[in-house]
Amino acid sequence: MLHRELETVSKKDLEKLQFERLKKSLAAATKAPYYQKLFKEHNIHVDSIRTLEHIKDLPFVTKNDLRLSYPDGMVAVPKSDIVRMHASSGTTGKSTVIFYTMNDINAWADLLARCMAATGATREDVFQNMMGYGLFTGGLGLHYGAERLGCLVIPSASGNTLRQIQLMQDFRTTIIHITPSYALHLAEEIAAQGINPRDLSVKKAYLGAEPYSEATRNKIEAQWGMHAYNSYGLSELNGPGVAFECVHRCGMHLWEDYYYMEIINPDTGEVLPDGEEGELVLTHLNREAMPMLRYRTRDLTRIIPGQCACGRTHRRIDRIKGRTDDMLIVGGVNVFPSQIETVLMNIPEVGNNYQIVLDREGGLDRIHVKVELYSKMFSGDIKNIDNLKKMIVERLRALIVVNPRVELLEPGSLPPSTGKAVRVIDNRKL
Ligand code: AMP
Ligand code: ZN
């Protein structure tokens, strides 16, 4: 089927296609050690999944399962068939690693070309990709999609603000792919150069990789004089391209020929009807190297009832409202407070109390870590304290990439925790 047919497919034909693809994904899963063990433990025979509804008989997969099966416990193809790997951002050590065959890369590129086309992008566009390249899926994911569509791609990657501005001016960039926080920051930097961002040729921005509000979108659109499209994805399900807004910008079409979606009650696991808010659970229907069945994204959203005016039949999901775990996204990097805690608690001089404060200044995320030390540290040489601080900054930076501000405090400086400790104070107005 052509993209056009696939995007406007009837519910009946879609369900037929989904079921065919689910059967294929299940068969692939039986080749991966992780699923072999899972199916055995739960006494699951893939042949007993005879309708789409039966997917409910499968247990959920979590990020922790990916970590436990690191590095290749979920791989379902011979190593020689794998052509690429990516990893979830930010985490060190046993992070979540994703593998792709050539068919997977091609299917992913097709899907992203579809996303871009849905926003009205064409081969005439100049696409400046300001997302991180490398292990992060944001950069290379959209890069391949934009090439597939035929755009001129500028792989400028994130950061290096002055060069970004120069490239936008010299090559008359029409579309940017950027995190919302960097879009805000970049607009300020452009203005500081005496340039009005509205005078550049940028017409569209794809904003994703981190949570943001409708108010932030409106602000970015006004600053830049362009349309901003919400883009959602996660590395476990390939990366960007899971759901994307079309020209109507009223929720993201989740591409149901690639992904089977469920919204569940995060506490009970029960599947909720369209319209109700809950946790998004996704099954990849079109991947060879690494089947992903009922993955708990931890992202909170809802299915927007009704049809989109564009005619695409794939249901839309609402802006991500939050997470059901404590994962923070700082400057586009995923950070779990527990990882910061592990760093701190491995340093003998660190006492028992710490606090993480997040702020946003000039569009950039700042992370401030307040750490209580044992009192004997304060009777010693001030130089020791300086060195200790440097060491903590280095170790945290290795973990969270973003430059942290570290403040060392005497014991008792932070509010003592009575009950559930408030470790994170997020002052960012997303
Ligand atoms: P990663 O696997 O590193 O690409 O991170 C994926 C996570 O980033 C998702 O599970 C979401 O929590 C978050 N995310 C990605 N895109 C968006 C978006 N458009 N809005 C809100 N959160 C997003
Ligand atoms: Zn639409």
Side-chain angles (χ1 to χ4, degrees):
M1 269 197 266
L2 296 166
H3 269 298
R4 201 186 154 71
E5 286 169 39
L6 276 170
E7 288 172 64
T8 54
V9 65
S10 69
K11 189 168 159 50
K12 192 165 145 260
D13 288 346
L14 175 68
E15 284 177 354
K16 191 163 160 265
L17 179 68
Q18 284 185 316
F19 185 62
E20 277 165 20
R21 290 187 167 180
L22 175 65
K23 289 300 264 182
K24 249 173 112 176
S25 306
L26 286 167
T30 59
K31 308 228 169 63
Y34 167 81
Y35 288 106
Q36 284 166 356
K37 189 159 164 272
L38 187 80
F39 292 165
K40 204 166 164 201
E41 274 169 13
H42 289 79
N43 199 18
I44 290 166
H45 297 278
V46 291
D47 292 338
S48 66
I49 313 268
R50 284 188 311 275
T51 67
L52 271 178
E53 294 289 290
H54 282 131
I55 203 168
K56 292 198 191 80
D57 298 342
L58 300 172
F60 296 117
V61 175
T62 65
K63 207 178 186 70
N64 203 38
D65 294 323
L66 267 103
R67 290 207 179 107
L68 293 175
S69 56
Y70 180 92
D72 55 5
M74 286 197 188
V75 172
V77 295
K79 203 168 171 194
S80 53
D81 287 349
I82 295 173
V83 299
R84 172 127 37 110
M85 66 171 268
H86 279 289
S88 186
S89 57
T91 49
T92 53
K94 299 208 184 326
S95 58
T96 50
V97 181
I98 311 300
F99 297 95
Y100 309 75
T101 64
M102 200 63 237
N103 285 339
D104 293 339
I105 294 288
N106 278 326
W108 188 25
D110 271 346
L111 190 60
L112 283 160
R114 178 199 289 185
C115 294
M116 292 183 65
T119 70
T122 70
R123 58 201 313 270
E124 305 302 324
D125 278 299
V126 178
F127 176 72
Q128 192 164 330
N129 196 4
M130 302 189 194
M131 285 283 182
Y133 276 66
L135 284 173
F136 178 52
T137 53
L140 282 170
L142 256 289
H143 181 109
Y144 275 59
E147 281 187 353
R148 177 102 1 144
L149 191 65
C151 301
L152 164 60
V153 181
I154 308 179
S156 58
S158 55
N160 206 337
T161 300
L162 291 182
R163 196 178 60 183
Q164 301 281 12
I165 301 172
Q166 179 96 51
L167 289 166
M168 281 192 282
Q169 286 182 309
D170 294 353
F171 299 96
R172 306 195 57 76
T173 300
T174 54
I175 307 179
I176 57 175
H177 180 211
I178 189 166
T179 59
S181 50
Y182 191 46
L184 290 167
H185 177 70
L186 191 55
E188 283 190 13
E189 294 288 314
I190 293 171
Q193 302 280 312
I195 306 163
N196 184 344
R198 302 176 70 96
D199 293 337
L200 297 169
S201 24
V202 183
K203 299 282 178 298
K204 295 180 176 60
Y206 302 148
L207 303 180
E210 62 186 15
Y212 63 109
S213 60
E214 205 54 42
T216 298
R217 184 219 302 254
N218 293 340
K219 189 170 171 190
I220 293 170
E221 289 191 333
Q223 279 173 336
W224 287 80
M226 64 180 176
H227 284 158
Y229 299 82
N230 200 358
S231 150
Y232 171 77
L234 59 162
S235 19
E236 292 82 352
L237 275 309
N238 273 13
V242 174
F244 222 86
E245 280 184 328
C246 68
V247 282
H248 294 282
R249 293 177 296 131
C250 54
M252 299 176 277
H253 289 284
L254 192 139
W255 303 117
E256 297 186 79
D257 53 336
Y258 274 63
Y259 303 98
Y260 182 80
M261 91 166 123
E262 297 166 274
I263 302 280
I264 62 159
N265 174 329
D267 300 323
T268 63
E270 171 209 2
V271 179
L272 300 172
D274 282 17
E276 276 188 41
E277 190 176 295
E279 182 181 326
L280 180 66
V281 171
L282 294 171
T283 296
H284 207 309
L285 297 172
N286 200 18
R287 189 161 65 185
E288 294 176 341
M290 208 170 155
M292 194 57 68
L293 305 173
R294 298 197 93 200
Y295 182 72
R296 286 193 65 159
T297 65
R298 305 283 173 192
D299 290 319
L300 284 170
T301 183
R302 69 181 182 112
I303 295 172
I304 300 174
Q307 278 273 344
C308 182
C310 73
R312 289 179 181 79
T313 48
H314 299 233
R315 286 173 297 169
R316 289 159 299 153
I317 56 164
D318 210 344
R319 183 176 290 289
I320 304 298
K321 294 277 158 53
R323 296 203 32 108
T324 61
D325 62 9
D326 57 354
M327 187 178 93
L328 304 165
I329 302 186
V330 185
V333 174
N334 302 346
V335 182
F336 286 92
S338 56
Q339 294 176 304
I340 295 184
E341 174 163 324
T342 305
V343 167
L344 296 177
M345 293 305 148
N346 275 324
I347 300 170
E349 294 86 350
V350 167
N352 295 329
N353 214 350
Y354 68 91
Q355 205 170 55
I356 302 161
V357 184
L358 296 166
D359 287 290
R360 186 160 281 178
E361 292 161 20
L364 291 184
D365 287 343
R366 301 271 175 232
I367 181 159
H368 180 177
V369 183
K370 300 180 181 184
V371 189
E372 284 187 9
L373 299 181
Y374 284 118
S375 49
K376 65 174 184 334
M377 278 305 296
F378 286 92
S379 50
D381 195 339
I382 194 87
K383 229 170 118 193
N384 288 344
I385 293 198
D386 262 359
N387 287 339
L388 180 63
K389 190 165 157 175
K390 274 194 202 122
M391 187 212 4
I392 297 178
V393 169
E394 275 316 308
R395 288 198 190 174
L396 287 176
R397 194 167 42 202
L399 176 74
I400 56 183
V401 188
V402 188
N403 217 356
R405 199 178 128 214
V406 170
E407 193 178 349
L408 302 180
L409 304 165
E410 287 189 59
S413 313
L414 291 170
S417 79
T418 48
K420 200 169 151 52
V422 183
R423 298 289 194 204
V424 181
I425 298 177
D426 197 343
N427 296 322
R428 296 174 299 175
K429 293 199 176 39
L430 302 177

